[in-house]
Amino acid sequence: MSYLPADDGPNHRAELRPPTDDPLGGPLTRPLRQAPAEPPAHRTVEPTAPEPAAAATEPEPDRPSDVPSAPRVTSATDFLERRAEHTDHGPATWGWRGKVRKWTGGTVSPQMGPAEMQYARDRRAIQRDFDGPRTIAFLNPKGGAAKTTGVLVAGYTFGTVRGGGVVAWDNNETRGTLGIRGQRGGHTNTTRELLEDLERFNDVYQARIGDLGSFVRSQGDAHFDVLASDERPDVTGTIKAADFTAVHGLLERFYRLILVDTGNNMRAENWLAAAETADLLVVTTTVREDTGYSGLWMLDALQDAGYEDLKRKTITVISEPSSHVDEQLAEDLVEVYEQRTKAVFRVPYDPALVPGSVVPYEQLTDATRMAWVQACAAMASQL
């Protein structure tokens, strides 16, 4: 199987025109936000020659031609930053190195091996400070592309490694499944109820994060919250762009990281609003030709709509849907998505994710956890 990626050059057409075999129908009429332009390259400006000085009426006394400057004194902050660069990660706990340390009671204490050292670096990347709240949107217009699973496992990874301050939001225009895949809370409120009661949060001095507990669902030891989409069967209507903006603005006040499950309709107002607002896009797909094609079609569509700098702001996560996958197809998907996005990560098959019920985080395999730590470290590094 092969793909012909779209031209990476900018395209500024006012509306998105999908390929002739577009499975989703008509054109996207709302242009997406353009990414900020790259800063200009640094230029060295040659100093202009000074104007000739006016003739002095009296000769100036002789001055030394070379006055040595005082050496810069190391500040307390410089000292701490320099020490941080040489942080000792401690003795090994993995593999034969960890076993030797355990068997000898610490008498022999080897340093970490390369894999454990990389894991420590990935954790530090996930824990890095942001200079403001950040939003990551998980995208693929095809159902079954592991968007919801990806949002939940990413929420678990960011939540446990960062220690909280993370919310996963089901930004489906009607009804999504994030609420039933996450742990159920002590209430059934969703985005719809939050929108109906949004006025209680208008006073920024009185509103508290604890007040959101009536609308978000704690994921316990996973250290993140879930904001579900509408679950009432008797409600009609959809979530609009203005609704997204209102809820997103509220979540930014109380969370450092917002993970958005975008649903399947990329022509919905709230889908477009999420794509425009997000600091980072994550394309999720499985090792299947239909989900892989759908993700690539979406990237073509975003580029055709004028979404600039798409590659730098996008990461791909490819999940294996079974224990036996078409390895040639997997390699083809990795190759083509590497051309279109900043980085590509493969997540192995995990039987704990197969039933489609509440995600049992404690049952995830070590391979799944490690793969998501690597992927989330790359996401955090791009924010």
Side-chain angles (χ1 to χ4, degrees), residues 14-356:
E15 65 178 25
L16 182 149
R17 302 182 183 276
T20 55
D21 57 348
D22 170 17
L24 299 181
L28 177 68
T29 59
R30 180 187 178 98
L32 295 175
R33 178 188 65 176
Q34 293 187 351
E38 290 290 337
H42 174 71
R43 294 186 302 165
T44 302
V45 180
E46 296 295 336
T48 58
E51 294 294 333
T57 58
E58 294 182 4
E60 295 185 356
D62 293 336
R63 295 179 180 176
S65 58
D66 296 323
V67 179
S69 58
R72 183 178 183 275
V73 177
T74 301
S75 68
T77 301
D78 294 336
F79 172 75
L80 291 179
E81 291 178 350
R82 186 175 64 188
R83 291 297 301 163
E85 295 175 357
H86 302 284
T87 300
D88 184 359
H89 297 288
T93 60
W94 291 8
W96 66 265
R97 295 176 176 84
K99 291 179 180 178
V100 167
R101 176 171 172 264
K102 181 178 179 181
W103 291 339
T104 63
T107 303
V108 179
S109 192
Q111 294 298 304
M112 293 181 180
E116 190 173 5
M117 186 68 74
Q118 182 60 52
Y119 177 72
R121 286 194 290 265
D122 288 339
R123 286 179 59 88
R124 285 206 311 275
I126 293 173
Q127 294 167 350
R128 68 183 292 263
D129 291 325
F130 307 134
D131 59 5
R134 294 292 184 267
T135 300
I136 304 176
F138 290 68
L139 312 166
N140 192 317
K142 175 76 171 64
K147 289 190 300 295
T148 299
T149 301
V151 169
L152 288 170
V153 182
Y156 164 80
T157 305
F158 278 116
T160 53
V161 177
R162 290 183 63 87
V166 179
V167 63
W169 173 19
D170 194 345
N171 179 46
N172 197 294
E173 63 174 331
T174 53
R175 178 181 178 275
T177 58
L178 190 70
I180 66 173
R181 298 294 307 280
Q183 294 181 16
R184 305 291 291 181
H187 61 78
T188 59
N189 290 333
T190 66
T191 302
R192 177 69 63 182
E193 286 73 29
L194 178 58
L195 284 167
E196 293 173 353
D197 203 15
L198 208 57
E199 289 185 358
R200 67 185 291 187
F201 297 96
N202 287 346
D203 189 340
V204 297
Y205 297 103
Q206 296 297 324
R208 301 159 299 182
I209 188 171
D211 297 328
L212 271 178
S214 299
F215 304 97
V216 298
R217 304 170 186 180
S218 171
Q219 299 302 290
D221 291 340
H223 295 288
F224 76 102
D225 297 330
V226 164
L227 177 59
S229 62
D230 182 24
E231 295 176 344
R232 294 186 296 183
D234 59 334
V235 174
T236 59
T238 59
I239 301 297
K240 304 296 185 181
D243 299 327
F244 173 90
T245 300
V247 173
H248 183 261
L250 176 61
L251 296 179
E252 281 190 313
R253 286 164 52 188
F254 297 113
Y255 293 96
R256 298 179 182 178
L257 189 60
I258 304 169
L259 310 177
V260 183
D261 187 349
T262 54
N264 302 331
N265 183 4
M266 63 182 292
R267 292 184 177 85
E269 289 186 19
N270 62 321
W271 194 103
L272 291 168
E276 293 169 354
T277 303
D279 300 289
L280 180 70
L281 307 180
V282 175
V283 180
T284 65
T285 184
T286 60
V287 185
R288 286 175 54 99
E289 190 167 337
D290 55 354
T291 56
Y293 163 80
S294 181
L296 291 170
W297 180 89
M298 178 189 67
L299 290 175
D300 290 343
L302 291 174
Q303 181 175 300
D304 200 33
Y307 202 104
E308 297 179 354
D309 207 16
L310 190 58
K311 179 171 182 176
R312 185 184 66 83
K313 295 185 62 175
T314 309
I315 285 176
T316 302
V317 177
I318 302 175
S319 300
E320 297 181 4
S322 67
S323 56
H324 300 285
V325 299
D326 183 338
E327 191 58 35
Q328 183 59 57
L329 173 59
E331 293 176 2
D332 288 345
L333 288 172
V334 169
E335 179 182 2
V336 71
Y337 275 105
E338 282 179 341
Q339 299 173 26
R340 306 298 302 279
T341 63
K342 181 72 174 179
V344 177
F345 296 90
R346 285 186 63 177
V347 176
Y349 167 74
D350 195 325
L353 301 175
V354 171

